[in-house]
Amino acid sequence: MSSINSLFRLPDEVVLLATLSRSFPCRDSQIRALATLVHPCAAPCRNLALYGTEATGKSAITAALLEAIDEDLELTGHGPEDPSLKFAIANSIECITSRHLFESVVGKVADALKWDRPPSKCETLSQLTVELSKMLKYTPRPVGFRFVLVFDGIDRQREAPPTLLPALARLSEIIPCLTTVFIVTSPPANFLRTPFVAYIHFPNYTKAEFVAILATQPPQPLPSATKEETVDLWARFTGAVHDALARAASRTLPAFRHACMALWPRFTAPILAGTHAPREFSKLLVAARVHFQDEKLLDPGMVALHSNKSNITTGTNNTPNTGPAHQAAAAAAAAVNGPTPKPPTTTITKRDQPKSLAAATATATATTAAPDLASLLPTTARLLLLASYLASHNPTRHDLTLFSTHHHGRRRRRGGLSVGGGGAGRGARTKHRKIARKLLGAHAFVLERMLAIFAAVRREWDAKSTATISNPTSGEAALDSDIEMAIATLASLRLLVRVGGGASAGADPMDRGGKWRVNVGWEVVRGLGRSIGVEVEDWLIE
């Protein structure tokens, strides 16, 4: 019996597994299986695949478990035949190429073993096998020595050859003391091409698990409630947040935790105001239903600007993002998606409400307008957006008439080309057109055509913008010379959208032949034009 016990021994339940279970709740089965398959005294395997969607605890649990086993074996074993474990974790997200991955693996293994002769370079899989064999196989090691090599996110490795994963799985066959762990998202069948691979699945958290995980870290007790009342209210609140936002916007544990932290001050504002008790969960839920329906609170870049008074009234202490990037993103979202709808009004009249509740409700439900896009975009970006709108809504055949001064000496605007017969001024419309062109959908345009329109009108529009905008600099100084940077800014804000075959990830975004489409409406463009003294309607063919 003593020999059998020396060959197989499960990890310590009290020291290892219980501590990790408290740190990572709802992952007991995965922790036990992983500890059994990597512990030198249990049932160490050659290749192990951990798979599951994002933010399910694969990487964090693996790193914590290996570190705990290493510390435990160092404390309990001191003889040459006592088991020991060392590990190294290589993150593929940090590696640009396969060579970068190989050199990173060799360097981390050398650091874990305190190898004093690390190689200068490692370019191929063959060299990786040779260097690992020198450090792990041909160097004398204790009888119970085990090394665990973890490849985190190996399925996202860039410039990976098709033989990378099968070759890495063969390392444990060449080096007997090596255990290779592959952390992937969704492995295909037989992706390592080996006879036997152990799999451990990390499934998504359920509603009960979400609530149980967040219950381990409740917020501070409310001033007018006890600790037990706050914990009970927090548990019921997290369940309501999961029902409202988990499927649509908070599918992962970090996103769900962020949603609860963002909504908790607004949910407890009536308690701080003294109008509701902590046990009146239904009334609190009805009062905060507007916030549960608004997913913009979950994205810091899309939160509307609030005044200091609203922050104090709603009980939030976090300062909202008011930088130019966040303001431009919020304005772009308002331009693309339209204004934020007003929340539904409550059935309680102001006459029946106390003054504190009326003030809290009025401040919490007041919607602040998104920052003006014209005041956030630089002049060049505004002119490019106006040129893109004209390129999307004007037919190509009318560009010479609208933007050329060769034949007429001046540009004939506001329907300068008479479409469909006589008429003056704005030009007679065709009989079959009953909808204004500016109200129709935007058409795709070639980037080179838009840049030609921009080059034709920039001097005239820049002169108007210099006279309109209170800027002491000249017109040439007001315009940013980096056109590509302005186009990239508009594309990142989704004000300009790449369409067609060039929208793929590998295409050049500044290809002059690429097709784009403007992604803002008429009201936004008209406001941008008037901010620099230009009536965009005068440049549209009707």
Side-chain angles (χ1 to χ4, degrees):
M1 292 297 295
S2 59
S3 61
I4 297 177
N5 293 333
S6 63
L7 293 176
F8 182 80
R9 177 167 54 89
L10 290 175
D12 194 345
E13 291 280 346
V14 179
V15 178
L16 292 178
L17 303 185
T19 304
L20 289 174
S21 297
R22 288 193 299 267
S23 302
F24 302 95
C26 305
R27 283 289 183 257
D28 294 340
S29 59
Q30 287 79 11
I31 292 175
R32 293 175 183 275
L34 181 60
T36 304
L37 294 176
V38 299
H39 199 282
C41 298
C45 61
R46 292 182 175 180
N47 295 304
L48 176 60
L50 310 181
Y51 69 99
T53 56
E54 183 182 359
T56 51
K58 303 183 296 295
S59 303
I61 291 176
T62 302
L65 177 62
L66 292 176
E67 184 176 359
I69 294 176
D70 186 10
E71 295 178 356
D72 179 60
L73 293 178
E74 286 184 356
L75 293 176
T76 57
H78 302 283
E81 297 184 358
D82 292 335
S84 62
L85 183 139
K86 298 296 180 181
F87 67 95
I89 301 176
N91 193 351
S92 296
I93 305 299
E94 302 173 355
C95 301
I96 302 175
T97 60
S98 299
R99 176 181 176 179
H100 191 185
L101 175 66
F102 301 152
E103 294 181 351
S104 177
V105 168
V106 173
K108 292 183 178 181
V109 172
D111 293 340
L113 298 175
K114 298 180 181 180
W115 188 260
D116 56 351
R117 300 184 303 275
S120 58
K121 62 180 180 179
C122 182
E123 301 180 357
T124 61
L125 282 166
S126 301
Q127 293 181 359
L128 176 66
T129 306
V130 171
E131 298 298 336
L132 293 181
S133 300
K134 290 180 181 178
M135 293 184 285
L136 297 174
K137 183 178 180 180
Y138 300 117
T139 301
R141 298 291 176 186
V143 178
F145 173 77
R146 197 77 187 172
F147 193 91
V148 179
L149 181 58
V150 181
F151 292 95
D152 191 0
I154 191 62
D155 54 339
R156 300 181 182 180
Q157 177 63 44
R158 287 170 285 187
E159 299 184 11
T163 58
L164 176 63
L165 291 179
L168 295 178
R170 294 296 188 274
L171 291 175
S172 58
E173 299 179 2
I174 301 174
I175 306 173
C177 64
L178 178 64
T179 296
T180 309
V181 179
F182 300 91
I183 300 179
V184 294
T185 302
S186 179
N190 197 21
F191 75 111
L192 296 179
R193 300 179 185 177
T194 56
F196 176 77
V197 179
Y199 288 85
I200 300 178
H201 182 210
F202 284 75
N204 291 329
Y205 293 102
T206 61
K207 177 183 176 180
E209 293 174 344
F210 272 124
V211 175
I213 292 173
L214 265 69
T216 58
Q217 297 178 349
Q220 295 294 331
L222 299 174
S224 58
T226 62
K227 183 178 180 181
E228 291 75 12
E229 291 177 345
T230 304
V231 171
D232 181 67
L233 182 62
W234 172 257
R236 301 181 66 182
F237 165 74
T238 53
V241 173
H242 182 275
D243 294 337
L245 300 174
R247 292 185 178 180
S250 304
R251 300 184 179 182
T252 62
L253 181 60
F256 182 69
R257 181 183 288 110
H258 169 69
C260 293
M261 293 301 178
L263 293 175
W264 177 251
R266 296 168 174 84
F267 180 78
T268 57
I271 300 178
L272 300 178
T275 58
H276 291 75
R279 296 185 180 276
E280 297 177 344
F281 178 76
S282 300
K283 294 182 179 180
L284 292 172
L285 191 61
V286 171
R289 67 183 183 276
V290 177
H291 305 300
F292 282 85
Q293 297 170 355
D294 188 7
E295 297 179 2
K296 294 181 181 179
L297 295 173
L298 309 181
D299 191 348
M302 296 299 177
V303 177
L305 301 180
H306 298 281
S307 61
N308 294 331
K309 180 180 179 182
S310 63
N311 288 335
I312 296 174
T313 306
T314 56
T316 56
N317 297 324
N318 297 329
T319 303
N321 295 316
T322 57
H326 296 286
Q327 295 181 13
V336 174
N337 301 327
T340 304
K342 295 183 179 180
T345 57
T346 58
T347 57
I348 303 175
T349 61
K350 294 183 178 179
R351 184 178 305 174
D352 300 330
Q353 294 178 351
K355 294 183 179 180
S356 58
L357 178 59
T361 306
T363 309
T365 58
T367 56
T368 56
D372 187 10
L373 189 62
S375 62
L376 299 175
L377 289 178
T379 306
T380 302
R382 277 183 272 178
L383 297 183
L384 286 170
L385 194 58
L386 295 179
S388 302
Y389 187 85
L390 296 180
S392 289
H393 290 79
N394 280 333
T396 309
R397 62 180 181 274
H398 299 324
D399 289 350
L400 185 63
T401 304
L402 283 174
F403 308 110
S404 176
T405 60
H406 178 69
H407 296 286
H408 308 289
R410 62 180 180 86
R411 298 184 184 89
R412 301 176 62 186
R413 296 165 300 168
R414 196 162 180 88
L417 180 63
S418 179
V419 182
R426 296 179 62 182
R429 307 184 183 207
T430 56
K431 294 182 179 180
H432 66 276
R433 181 176 298 279
K434 297 182 180 180
I435 303 176
R437 186 175 294 275
K438 60 178 176 291
L439 301 179
L440 298 176
H443 298 276
F445 60 86
V446 181
L447 181 62
E448 187 174 7
R449 177 181 170 231
M450 186 272 288
L451 293 178
I453 295 175
F454 170 76
V457 300
R458 64 177 297 178
R459 289 186 178 274
E460 182 177 349
W461 287 358
D462 180 33
K464 294 182 179 181
S465 65
T466 306
T468 303
I469 303 174
S470 58
N471 191 352
T473 58
S474 61
E476 293 295 333
L479 279 177
D480 185 9
S481 60
D482 195 353
I483 306 298
E484 296 182 357
M485 181 63 69
I487 295 177
T489 302
L490 295 176
S492 64
L493 295 175
R494 301 291 295 174
L495 300 176
L496 289 181
V497 180
R498 188 77 180 271
V499 297
S504 59
D508 184 10
M510 297 309 300
D511 182 15
R512 293 299 183 98
K515 290 187 177 182
W516 295 74
R517 185 178 67 248
V518 69
N519 200 27
V520 294
W522 163 246
E523 296 296 334
V524 177
V525 170
R526 182 172 60 179
L528 285 175
R530 290 178 178 177
S531 67
I532 58 176
V534 176
E535 288 292 340
V536 185
E537 193 172 6
D538 295 345
W539 298 83
L540 291 174
I541 288 291
E542 294 293 342

